[in-house]
Structure formats: C-alpha cells, structure tokens
Amino acid sequence: MLVVHGGAPLRGEVQVRGAKNLISKAMVASVLGTGVSRLYDVPKIRDVTIIRGLLELHGVRVSTGSEGELVFDPSNVERASTDEINVHAGSSRIPILLCGPLLHRLGHAFIPDLGGCKIGDRPIDFHLEALRQFGATIDKTPDGLHLTAPERLRGTKFELPYPSVGATEQVLLTAVLAEGITELRNAAVEPEIVDLICILQKMGAIIKVHTNRVIEIQGVDKLGGYNHRPIPDRIEAASWAAAALATKGDVFVRGANQVDMMTFLNTFRSVGGAFEVLDAGIRFWHPGDELKAVALETDVHPGFMTDWQQPLVVALSQARGLSIVHETVYERRFGYTEALNKMGANIQLYRECLGGTPCRWGRRNFLHSAVIAGPSKLYAADLEIPDLRAGFSHVIAALAAEGTSRVYGVDHYIVRGYEDFDGKLAALGARTERPA
C-alpha cells in the first residue's frame, strides 16, 4: 500500500532508462547468439527479474556489469523442466517469445500459462499460427504447450490480421535463423520493434523494413552476440508528463526522446501543457492556463499509444469541456475510470466507436469509448490497482486529489514496470509514505 497526501504539484527531475517493452525482448534475443551479449541502461524492474530467471533456467549465464548493464552468455543453453518453468506461470507473457530461439537451439520449447495485465483479450493464436508456418509442431497438454522442431525451421510468408507487436516480435525472433526468406505483412513498426531489429542486425541478421508495414527477413546460419543501449522508455516518460500536467507541476524527464514521443507531444500541447526539448531530455509543465478538452483515438504506431491514454485521462479530467477518447487497441482498457469517478471525475463509457479510426470493437459489447467532462475537483479515496498503466493513473489522481488516498497493489503492478517508483516520487516532492 502507498499512502498519498494529495494537492501538491510535482516539481523536480526523474530519469527514464531502457524501454520496458524492448528490454525483455532484447534479453530473449541473446539466446539466438553464439557469443556474449551486453545490454546497457537496463531498469531494475520485476519484469527483468522474471526474464532473467527464465533465461537462467535454460542455461544462459546472466551477470551484472556496471550500473544498468546485463551480460548474457548463451553458450550452454539447455532444456528446462516444465515444473521449473511453471514457477513463472502467470507472471509474464514473455515465455511465448522464447519459442523461436529455443526451437532453433534445442528443437523444443514449452509455454506455461501466460500472465500480463487484464486489459483485454491478447490471444497467442497469431504466435502459434506463425510458428506452425515456420514448421513447428504444437501439442497442447494440461501443463501448457509443447513445441517441437525436429528439422530446421523454414522461412514463410505471413500476414497478420492486425499489426500485433508481440506477433511481429515472434516472427522476427524466429525468422532470423530459419532457412530461406520470411516476408511479414501488416507488421507492427513501433520504435521498440525497430530497436529490436537493430539488435538482431548487430547479431548478424539480414532484415529489410519496407513501406506499408512489410518486413523481409533473410535467414542466416549463425548469429553472434550484441552490445546495445536501448531506446528510452517513452511510456514512463509520458506518464511523468501527465503527472506534471494533472498536478500543475513541472517535471524534467531525463532521457526522454522527442522522436519516439512526437504524437504524444502534439496531444500534450493541444491539451494546454507546455514542454521544452533539451539534449538531455524533455521538461514538461503546466503553464497555469486552463487546460483544453481534446478528442483522441489510440492506435498502433505512429498513432497515439494505448499506454499513454490512461495517465493522460487523469489530466483530461481537469480540462474544460468534453474530451473524447476512443480506444482501438485493447477492449477493456477503461476499467480504471470507475476509481476516477469515485474520486470526483465525470467519465462516461460507451460501446459505440466515438471516432473515425477503424476499430475491432465496433458492434461488440465492449465499453471502449470514454467521454470526460471537466474540470472536476478530485477527492481522496482508497484505490485498488487493476493493471500496470492504470496503477500509475491512480497514483496521479491521488497526487492531484484533495486529501489522503491509500493505493493498494503498488508493488504487484507498478514496481513491475517502473524503476525506483517511490524514490522518483520523493525526488519530485510527492508526499507519500509506506505504512509499516
């Protein structure tokens, strides 16, 4: 539990390190190599600990170098028992991405029950179908999925029905050592995907990114290690920016990268927030004028990222007028708004598509559009965090609210994706405490 005494603006500086959505994939990529890999600027978050444990179960020697550096030696990759792997069941969705590398190295892979935030349906059908097309055999058993590849996997042509980030990563991590050419259509092209491609290219992969979401991978016989400093975490940077706006504060996010945040920065300015791009990062602040309502839709890159909408909605509750947010990526991403309404926000959810972006949820029974009426005065409440990004949103709301709130589930959710969360709050002058 985190006790938050609200009403004070956040002021100060925080540092963001390597992107959470890239770090774990970079760790998995090390399994493909025959040499040592070094990954820098790795945040101390629970996801990293989970993936490190999975790699070590499979014989990868993982050591810690200088501050924020992890070193991977995959020279003795081996098959882990299903019981050992099942210890991590439900804690992460990354085991599915180990399939391609393990099939190449061992001819066998096992997938336990997968975890992750409960924000909507995230099926692994795309992953499994891609692996089948590469030549893998998949057997379903009570303890999970067993995959085998008695022969070398072969390149394939594959088109995703939706530009899924996870499925694109699956194809990349599998195709680089598969025999022949793989062509992936309707691929995700998020900055983290491009950074993963850079890592694989450093290892010796041949990957061409064409226009219109087409990626072509020419399989090679062997990959080496890599040395890589990942892109900074654009989700965490935007979260602190939204916190500055909602609390009428001023926060410098060291490491924030303008190029990867251009869509967010445009919306931040449209709402009435101010920012300054510097060599070392981006400063975000509330200029003192009344915030303005906006209409936005989440979408795959280069659209407005779905992970940005939850923190920003808290700030939109303080904007004058009606803001409209149409969520097109995850169908159950507005569950956190119930807590915001409990605190005094005025947010109505709708099943209709309140926007023009093509949406998978139209005509289905999902509350995936939100109308936020503001400004609303927020009051303290007891809050139970439902997922990672909603957790940060709840903390932002508690910081902006009048009175003392108690936020439950901080260690389970927020610590999973945000390094030194309590320390960063303290550095910004937040009045928080942890009960003994």
PDB file of all heavy atoms in Angstrom, residues 144-162:
ATOM      1  N   GLY A 144       0.488 -27.048 -20.330  1.00  0.00           N
ATOM      2  CA  GLY A 144       0.842 -25.967 -21.235  1.00  0.00           C
ATOM      3  C   GLY A 144       0.997 -26.453 -22.662  1.00  0.00           C
ATOM      4  O   GLY A 144       0.402 -27.460 -23.061  1.00  0.00           O
ATOM      5  N   LEU A 145       1.800 -25.751 -23.433  1.00  0.00           N
ATOM      6  CA  LEU A 145       2.015 -26.078 -24.832  1.00  0.00           C
ATOM      7  C   LEU A 145       3.453 -26.549 -25.042  1.00  0.00           C
ATOM      8  O   LEU A 145       4.405 -25.883 -24.621  1.00  0.00           O
ATOM      9  CB  LEU A 145       1.750 -24.855 -25.721  1.00  0.00           C
ATOM     10  CG  LEU A 145       0.333 -24.272 -25.700  1.00  0.00           C
ATOM     11  CD1 LEU A 145       0.281 -23.001 -26.539  1.00  0.00           C
ATOM     12  CD2 LEU A 145      -0.679 -25.286 -26.219  1.00  0.00           C
ATOM     13  N   HIS A 146       3.598 -27.700 -25.690  1.00  0.00           N
ATOM     14  CA  HIS A 146       4.921 -28.233 -26.013  1.00  0.00           C
ATOM     15  C   HIS A 146       5.143 -28.080 -27.519  1.00  0.00           C
ATOM     16  O   HIS A 146       4.341 -28.550 -28.321  1.00  0.00           O
ATOM     17  CB  HIS A 146       5.027 -29.704 -25.609  1.00  0.00           C
ATOM     18  CG  HIS A 146       5.014 -29.921 -24.136  1.00  0.00           C
ATOM     19  ND1 HIS A 146       6.162 -30.041 -23.384  1.00  0.00           N
ATOM     20  CD2 HIS A 146       3.978 -30.013 -23.266  1.00  0.00           C
ATOM     21  CE1 HIS A 146       5.839 -30.216 -22.109  1.00  0.00           C
ATOM     22  NE2 HIS A 146       4.523 -30.209 -22.008  1.00  0.00           N
ATOM     23  N   LEU A 147       6.233 -27.412 -27.886  1.00  0.00           N
ATOM     24  CA  LEU A 147       6.550 -27.180 -29.292  1.00  0.00           C
ATOM     25  C   LEU A 147       7.815 -27.946 -29.654  1.00  0.00           C
ATOM     26  O   LEU A 147       8.770 -27.983 -28.866  1.00  0.00           O
ATOM     27  CB  LEU A 147       6.763 -25.689 -29.569  1.00  0.00           C
ATOM     28  CG  LEU A 147       5.532 -24.778 -29.434  1.00  0.00           C
ATOM     29  CD1 LEU A 147       5.352 -24.335 -28.000  1.00  0.00           C
ATOM     30  CD2 LEU A 147       5.677 -23.557 -30.342  1.00  0.00           C
ATOM     31  N   THR A 148       7.800 -28.537 -30.825  1.00  0.00           N
ATOM     32  CA  THR A 148       8.983 -29.266 -31.300  1.00  0.00           C
ATOM     33  C   THR A 148       9.282 -28.864 -32.739  1.00  0.00           C
ATOM     34  O   THR A 148       8.387 -28.480 -33.500  1.00  0.00           O
ATOM     35  CB  THR A 148       8.781 -30.787 -31.231  1.00  0.00           C
ATOM     36  OG1 THR A 148       7.594 -31.140 -31.965  1.00  0.00           O
ATOM     37  CG2 THR A 148       8.660 -31.256 -29.789  1.00  0.00           C
ATOM     38  N   ALA A 149      10.559 -28.971 -33.095  1.00  0.00           N
ATOM     39  CA  ALA A 149      11.007 -28.712 -34.467  1.00  0.00           C
ATOM     40  C   ALA A 149      12.138 -29.682 -34.766  1.00  0.00           C
ATOM     41  O   ALA A 149      13.313 -29.353 -34.603  1.00  0.00           O
ATOM     42  CB  ALA A 149      11.468 -27.272 -34.618  1.00  0.00           C
ATOM     43  N   PRO A 150      11.787 -30.914 -35.170  1.00  0.00           N
ATOM     44  CA  PRO A 150      12.819 -31.922 -35.421  1.00  0.00           C
ATOM     45  C   PRO A 150      13.760 -31.539 -36.555  1.00  0.00           C
ATOM     46  O   PRO A 150      14.891 -32.005 -36.614  1.00  0.00           O
ATOM     47  CB  PRO A 150      12.003 -33.170 -35.767  1.00  0.00           C
ATOM     48  CG  PRO A 150      10.660 -32.664 -36.175  1.00  0.00           C
ATOM     49  CD  PRO A 150      10.432 -31.416 -35.395  1.00  0.00           C
ATOM     50  N   GLU A 151      13.301 -30.663 -37.472  1.00  0.00           N
ATOM     51  CA  GLU A 151      14.137 -30.179 -38.561  1.00  0.00           C
ATOM     52  C   GLU A 151      14.248 -28.666 -38.453  1.00  0.00           C
ATOM     53  O   GLU A 151      13.511 -28.021 -37.721  1.00  0.00           O
ATOM     54  CB  GLU A 151      13.532 -30.571 -39.915  1.00  0.00           C
ATOM     55  CG  GLU A 151      13.400 -32.079 -40.108  1.00  0.00           C
ATOM     56  CD  GLU A 151      12.759 -32.417 -41.438  1.00  0.00           C
ATOM     57  OE1 GLU A 151      12.384 -31.465 -42.167  1.00  0.00           O
ATOM     58  OE2 GLU A 151      12.635 -33.605 -41.750  1.00  0.00           O
ATOM     59  N   ARG A 152      15.183 -28.112 -39.211  1.00  0.00           N
ATOM     60  CA  ARG A 152      15.375 -26.662 -39.181  1.00  0.00           C
ATOM     61  C   ARG A 152      14.109 -25.954 -39.625  1.00  0.00           C
ATOM     62  O   ARG A 152      13.459 -26.357 -40.600  1.00  0.00           O
ATOM     63  CB  ARG A 152      16.547 -26.265 -40.091  1.00  0.00           C
ATOM     64  CG  ARG A 152      16.858 -24.769 -40.063  1.00  0.00           C
ATOM     65  CD  ARG A 152      18.031 -24.423 -40.962  1.00  0.00           C
ATOM     66  NE  ARG A 152      18.289 -22.992 -40.960  1.00  0.00           N
ATOM     67  CZ  ARG A 152      19.212 -22.388 -41.696  1.00  0.00           C
ATOM     68  NH1 ARG A 152      19.971 -23.115 -42.510  1.00  0.00           N
ATOM     69  NH2 ARG A 152      19.384 -21.078 -41.641  1.00  0.00           N
ATOM     70  N   LEU A 153      13.741 -24.899 -38.900  1.00  0.00           N
ATOM     71  CA  LEU A 153      12.573 -24.116 -39.284  1.00  0.00           C
ATOM     72  C   LEU A 153      12.818 -23.444 -40.625  1.00  0.00           C
ATOM     73  O   LEU A 153      13.955 -23.107 -40.977  1.00  0.00           O
ATOM     74  CB  LEU A 153      12.273 -23.065 -38.212  1.00  0.00           C
ATOM     75  CG  LEU A 153      11.931 -23.613 -36.814  1.00  0.00           C
ATOM     76  CD1 LEU A 153      11.717 -22.471 -35.839  1.00  0.00           C
ATOM     77  CD2 LEU A 153      10.696 -24.511 -36.863  1.00  0.00           C
ATOM     78  N   ARG A 154      11.731 -23.248 -41.374  1.00  0.00           N
ATOM     79  CA  ARG A 154      11.829 -22.704 -42.731  1.00  0.00           C
ATOM     80  C   ARG A 154      11.129 -21.359 -42.814  1.00  0.00           C
ATOM     81  O   ARG A 154      10.083 -21.136 -42.193  1.00  0.00           O
ATOM     82  CB  ARG A 154      11.202 -23.670 -43.741  1.00  0.00           C
ATOM     83  CG  ARG A 154      11.809 -25.064 -43.756  1.00  0.00           C
ATOM     84  CD  ARG A 154      11.067 -25.975 -44.714  1.00  0.00           C
ATOM     85  NE  ARG A 154       9.639 -26.027 -44.405  1.00  0.00           N
ATOM     86  CZ  ARG A 154       9.111 -26.798 -43.458  1.00  0.00           C
ATOM     87  NH1 ARG A 154       9.889 -27.566 -42.713  1.00  0.00           N
ATOM     88  NH2 ARG A 154       7.810 -26.798 -43.253  1.00  0.00           N
ATOM     89  N   GLY A 155      11.678 -20.472 -43.642  1.00  0.00           N
ATOM     90  CA  GLY A 155      11.060 -19.166 -43.863  1.00  0.00           C
ATOM     91  C   GLY A 155       9.666 -19.313 -44.452  1.00  0.00           C
ATOM     92  O   GLY A 155       9.328 -20.333 -45.062  1.00  0.00           O
ATOM     93  N   THR A 156       8.850 -18.281 -44.280  1.00  0.00           N
ATOM     94  CA  THR A 156       7.460 -18.363 -44.715  1.00  0.00           C
ATOM     95  C   THR A 156       6.946 -16.976 -45.079  1.00  0.00           C
ATOM     96  O   THR A 156       7.591 -15.954 -44.784  1.00  0.00           O
ATOM     97  CB  THR A 156       6.587 -18.980 -43.607  1.00  0.00           C
ATOM     98  OG1 THR A 156       5.254 -19.170 -44.083  1.00  0.00           O
ATOM     99  CG2 THR A 156       6.550 -18.068 -42.380  1.00  0.00           C
ATOM    100  N   LYS A 157       5.791 -16.947 -45.716  1.00  0.00           N
ATOM    101  CA  LYS A 157       5.080 -15.683 -45.939  1.00  0.00           C
ATOM    102  C   LYS A 157       3.917 -15.639 -44.966  1.00  0.00           C
ATOM    103  O   LYS A 157       3.127 -16.585 -44.888  1.00  0.00           O
ATOM    104  CB  LYS A 157       4.576 -15.582 -47.384  1.00  0.00           C
ATOM    105  CG  LYS A 157       5.678 -15.352 -48.405  1.00  0.00           C
ATOM    106  CD  LYS A 157       5.091 -15.059 -49.775  1.00  0.00           C
ATOM    107  CE  LYS A 157       6.206 -14.718 -50.778  1.00  0.00           C
ATOM    108  NZ  LYS A 157       5.644 -14.384 -52.109  1.00  0.00           N
ATOM    109  N   PHE A 158       3.810 -14.550 -44.228  1.00  0.00           N
ATOM    110  CA  PHE A 158       2.809 -14.480 -43.168  1.00  0.00           C
ATOM    111  C   PHE A 158       2.247 -13.064 -43.113  1.00  0.00           C
ATOM    112  O   PHE A 158       2.999 -12.089 -43.132  1.00  0.00           O
ATOM    113  CB  PHE A 158       3.443 -14.847 -41.826  1.00  0.00           C
ATOM    114  CG  PHE A 158       2.456 -15.097 -40.719  1.00  0.00           C
ATOM    115  CD1 PHE A 158       1.687 -16.247 -40.696  1.00  0.00           C
ATOM    116  CD2 PHE A 158       2.292 -14.177 -39.689  1.00  0.00           C
ATOM    117  CE1 PHE A 158       0.772 -16.485 -39.678  1.00  0.00           C
ATOM    118  CE2 PHE A 158       1.383 -14.403 -38.671  1.00  0.00           C
ATOM    119  CZ  PHE A 158       0.621 -15.561 -38.671  1.00  0.00           C
ATOM    120  N   GLU A 159       0.932 -12.956 -43.060  1.00  0.00           N
ATOM    121  CA  GLU A 159       0.281 -11.652 -42.929  1.00  0.00           C
ATOM    122  C   GLU A 159      -0.545 -11.623 -41.652  1.00  0.00           C
ATOM    123  O   GLU A 159      -1.399 -12.486 -41.433  1.00  0.00           O
ATOM    124  CB  GLU A 159      -0.610 -11.343 -44.133  1.00  0.00           C
ATOM    125  CG  GLU A 159      -1.267  -9.975 -44.039  1.00  0.00           C
ATOM    126  CD  GLU A 159      -1.932  -9.524 -45.334  1.00  0.00           C
ATOM    127  OE1 GLU A 159      -1.814 -10.248 -46.348  1.00  0.00           O
ATOM    128  OE2 GLU A 159      -2.554  -8.440 -45.325  1.00  0.00           O
ATOM    129  N   LEU A 160      -0.292 -10.646 -40.821  1.00  0.00           N
ATOM    130  CA  LEU A 160      -1.028 -10.510 -39.573  1.00  0.00           C
ATOM    131  C   LEU A 160      -2.373  -9.841 -39.832  1.00  0.00           C
ATOM    132  O   LEU A 160      -2.449  -8.847 -40.569  1.00  0.00           O
ATOM    133  CB  LEU A 160      -0.233  -9.661 -38.575  1.00  0.00           C
ATOM    134  CG  LEU A 160       1.040 -10.292 -38.008  1.00  0.00           C
ATOM    135  CD1 LEU A 160       1.850  -9.268 -37.238  1.00  0.00           C
ATOM    136  CD2 LEU A 160       0.683 -11.461 -37.104  1.00  0.00           C
ATOM    137  N   PRO A 161      -3.450 -10.342 -39.244  1.00  0.00           N
ATOM    138  CA  PRO A 161      -4.747  -9.690 -39.398  1.00  0.00           C
ATOM    139  C   PRO A 161      -4.789  -8.336 -38.687  1.00  0.00           C
ATOM    140  O   PRO A 161      -5.648  -7.499 -38.976  1.00  0.00           O
ATOM    141  CB  PRO A 161      -5.720 -10.690 -38.765  1.00  0.00           C
ATOM    142  CG  PRO A 161      -4.886 -11.551 -37.886  1.00  0.00           C
ATOM    143  CD  PRO A 161      -3.532 -11.603 -38.493  1.00  0.00           C
ATOM    144  N   TYR A 162      -3.865  -8.141 -37.743  1.00  0.00           N
ATOM    145  CA  TYR A 162      -3.756  -6.881 -37.006  1.00  0.00           C
ATOM    146  C   TYR A 162      -2.271  -6.690 -36.703  1.00  0.00           C
ATOM    147  O   TYR A 162      -1.568  -7.671 -36.407  1.00  0.00           O
ATOM    148  CB  TYR A 162      -4.560  -6.951 -35.700  1.00  0.00           C
ATOM    149  CG  TYR A 162      -4.515  -5.694 -34.872  1.00  0.00           C
ATOM    150  CD1 TYR A 162      -5.304  -4.602 -35.204  1.00  0.00           C
ATOM    151  CD2 TYR A 162      -3.681  -5.595 -33.759  1.00  0.00           C
ATOM    152  CE1 TYR A 162      -5.273  -3.438 -34.451  1.00  0.00           C
ATOM    153  CE2 TYR A 162      -3.641  -4.440 -32.995  1.00  0.00           C
ATOM    154  CZ  TYR A 162      -4.434  -3.361 -33.348  1.00  0.00           C
ATOM    155  OH  TYR A 162      -4.403  -2.210 -32.597  1.00  0.00           O
TER     156      TYR A 162
END
